[in-house]
Amino acid sequence: MHTVVVGTSGVTASDVLAVARGGARVELSEEAVAALAAAREIVDALAAKPDPVYGVSTGFGALATRHISPELRAQLQRNIVRSHAAGMGPAVEREVVRALMFLRLKTVCSGHTGVRPEVAQTMADLLNARITPVVHEYGSLGCSGDLAPLSHCALALMGEGDAEGPDGVVRPAAELLAAHGIQPVELREKEGLALLNGTDGMLGMLVMALADLDTLYRSADVTAALSLEALLGTDKVLAPELHAIRPHPGQAASAANMLAVLKGSGLTGHHQDDAPRVQDAYSVRCAPQVAGAGRDTMAHARLVADRELAAAVDNPVVLPDGRVESNGNFHGAPVGYVLDFLAIAVADLGSIAERRTDRLLDKNRSHGLPPFLADDPGVDSGLMIAQYTQAALVSELKRLAVPASADSIPSSAMQEDHVSMGWSAARKLRTAVDNLTRVIAIELYAATRAVELREGLTPAPATRAVIDAVREAGVQGTGPDRFLAPDLAAADAFVRDGRLLAAVEKVTGPLQ
């Protein structure tokens, strides 16, 4: 099994995906263990002094004015975890919790938190045993970090609360730890606070969304090319010299992908035949510009994610010179903004895909295709309601594009009077990415059927390969009306698991 070694200098997006989705094992480097021990010595020295230090010998948030005596400090750390584990609603996905735990471990291992090495090792042990704390949908405001979600994870380290075992069954965390020979941790000064103060949940969801969108944007280039072909459009608008004079890199990549998919097509260029038209509709002609803008948005989001992956987010932090200083690095604004930005791009990509689908189904705009791509229009409804489903999904995407990060609800008796709502931005982006997959699948379903209806004209080798592969996957083609939901589900799976791209790239080589 793949192993990810956590050091002091952060991790990569590939590391996050390997642990969250691939079940990779986690090990602490010798450098990380040494840094943990050195930082802990500083915290222990401060704890022994009479002067109050936030997070070490004081209360938290609005209660930070109280100095906590040594005999109550272990209880203080336990209490912050218990009281902050206040999430509600459905349990979030296993991959999200694993990403959150791993990213918190990454910061702990930086040597800036003052957590003991044995606590960090126990965090790794839970990941390696595939014990996943139950984390609920609601509870994070994205400031002071993802407090409630991280608290539910810290609670499991203490042997409290519920967790999901490797078999997917939820049990008391104490039982699962005992079954895997893991000793619950007894938290000491600062450790409870250090386990809660991070942007790890929203960051993990950002990393996974970027990975999914990388696949979906290339898939959308393929379905856009299929629709252009089915509508007898022109591929001249994809010429690289046209995109070079407006040098957005995402736009050029999208156009190049579409051109590669359409190479050798016998359907393109017929826009001057029976019903001459000078230009294709915007949803066809401007596909690279819209998809390209989304790609460039992803590039910015990836830059933010990489910076955050290299960061040590905690409050207070242990500095190399031995100082322990309070800060505001836990604020989720940088991550929240790009999560919302991506949701806007996702909504627009879904919107333009739906417009192409609608055009394929409308006999007045499809340039010779039967109404709704039906076998016997009137007797058959064809894909009429498939487009309704797609429209409903796009409408939901537009609602999900409303930014969460523009909101702020003060908390903690106005001590935490401005929050990022980054966790909420991440949760809605996950829903948006999921729905975008369905939108692209419906365009794929409509466009492949439309190409098949162009009798006497030969599709491009790449699009022919897609049609063959999608039919082999159980997505039926032309013919009388049938129960449509299974076809749409099969098309969704075909896009979601990467078979669409695999079919194309066997002909074109890797798309950009």
Side-chain angles (χ1 to χ4, degrees), residues 51-258:
D51 301 327
V53 178
Y54 178 71
V56 177
S57 54
T58 71
F60 309 113
L63 302 175
T65 55
R66 178 176 172 181
H67 182 247
I68 307 299
S69 58
E71 67 274 10
L72 294 176
R73 290 177 189 170
Q75 181 181 340
L76 170 70
Q77 300 300 322
R78 288 194 302 271
N79 284 353
I80 189 176
V81 172
R82 289 169 175 164
S83 65
H84 285 46
M88 293 184 73
V92 303
E93 304 83 2
R94 175 191 283 259
E95 67 177 15
V96 171
V97 181
R98 286 184 62 83
L100 181 151
M101 294 169 67
F102 174 66
L103 288 169
R104 195 69 222 143
L105 177 60
K106 173 267 296 184
T107 283
V108 165
C109 287
S110 69
H112 291 293
T113 66
V115 169
R116 289 168 295 151
E118 51 265 42
V119 176
Q121 184 58 56
T122 305
M123 296 171 75
D125 291 342
L126 257 68
L127 286 166
N128 293 338
R130 300 186 68 81
I131 296 171
T132 308
V134 174
V135 172
H136 299 278
E137 181 90 23
Y138 303 105
S140 173
L141 299 180
C143 202
S144 284
D146 291 318
L147 285 174
L150 283 162
S151 297
H152 282 275
C153 293
L155 198 67
L157 287 175
M158 293 163 48
E160 300 181 20
D162 293 326
E164 181 183 304
D167 58 359
V169 177
V170 174
R171 298 186 179 90
E175 291 182 14
L176 287 167
L177 266 61
H180 289 84
I182 300 173
Q183 188 70 28
V185 298
E186 292 283 346
L187 298 177
R188 289 172 48 182
E189 291 93 344
K190 195 184 179 300
E191 290 179 334
L193 186 62
L195 295 176
L196 314 187
N197 252 315
T199 56
D200 309 293
M202 64 183 89
L203 175 58
M205 287 186 274
L206 173 60
V207 169
M208 289 186 284
L210 286 168
D212 294 337
L213 288 172
D214 182 63
T215 297
L216 286 175
Y217 267 82
R218 287 181 289 150
S219 299
D221 291 340
V222 176
T223 59
L226 274 160
S227 291
L228 184 153
E229 194 174 37
L231 291 166
L232 304 179
T234 176
D235 59 359
K236 289 184 178 180
V237 297
L238 305 174
E241 57 269 25
L242 292 175
H243 299 278
I245 61 175
R246 193 192 191 194
H248 294 288
Q251 176 180 323
S254 180
N257 286 346
M258 290 181 66

Side-chain angles (χ1 to χ4, degrees), residues 37-50:
R40 186 63 209 182
E41 288 182 6
I42 294 171
V43 170
D44 285 341
L46 287 172
K49 293 181 178 180

